[in-house]
Amino acid sequence: MLDFRSSRRPIQHLNPGDGVCGTLGVANTGVEIYLPIGSQSVLGFLCTSIEEYFRKARKLFPAASAPAAVEEMLNGISAGEPIRAEPVNVMFFNSLQVAQSERYLFAEHDNFELALQMLRDNPRFKEGPKPQVVA
């Protein structure tokens, strides 16, 4: 069973909100906005706090021994260069598209198995995101 954005499992964010308001919005610290622009490309807009997060992560390791993913992310952010995503990352980005879609999903190929599995596992995705009023 795939468990993307399940209400039973908390998702870790750099912008966890205040417990009342959500974390969606461009003014939030840690916001990440991804726009699929092709079958193999996603344009990402990242808050500057993301770069700081990876810089702090690099400091946790002895000189020149930080994981390659940390170095690749920092180099990509600094140079504005593409960053490779592992298949699990691509699946996660796709799951966010499914979870946040209201009416339509698009794909280069006729393969919507991830979306169908998510709908089977969590029927609330059938309705799309709805605004909530907190009293």
Side-chain angles (χ1 to χ4, degrees):
M1 173 162 94
L2 300 173
D3 189 19
F4 294 102
R5 308 282 303 227
S6 166
S7 60
R8 291 183 237 137
R9 189 177 102 198
I11 300 294
Q12 296 298 316
H13 295 284
L14 292 179
N15 61 341
D18 61 7
V20 176
C21 296
T23 60
L24 299 177
V26 295
N28 287 309
T29 300
V31 70
E32 302 171 54
I33 300 171
Y34 297 99
L35 302 171
I37 57 174
S39 63
Q40 296 185 14
S41 301
V42 174
L43 182 61
F45 298 92
L46 308 177
C47 176
T48 56
S49 66
I50 305 292
E51 181 178 8
E52 182 59 29
Y53 173 82
F54 280 94
R55 292 201 182 285
K56 287 179 182 177
R58 181 170 46 185
K59 289 180 182 179
L60 297 174
F61 297 93
S65 69
V70 171
E71 291 299 332
E72 185 175 358
M73 183 65 110
L74 281 171
N75 291 338
I77 290 172
S78 298
E81 296 291 328
I83 301 167
R84 269 180 298 139
E86 297 296 324
V88 68
N89 301 117
V90 174
M91 184 182 287
F92 179 70
F93 290 142
N94 288 341
S95 74
L96 292 177
Q97 295 293 321
V98 173
Q100 295 299 318
S101 65
E102 180 66 29
R103 295 181 63 192
Y104 300 105
L105 294 174
F106 296 92
E108 180 181 17
H109 304 286
D110 188 18
N111 180 356
F112 293 93
E113 187 53 40
L114 174 64
L116 294 170
Q117 182 67 46
M118 288 177 67
L119 290 170
R120 283 191 293 268
D121 291 346
N122 195 336
R124 76 180 172 93
F125 290 135
K126 289 180 182 177
E127 297 179 17
K130 301 286 187 251
Q132 296 179 354
V133 177
V134 178

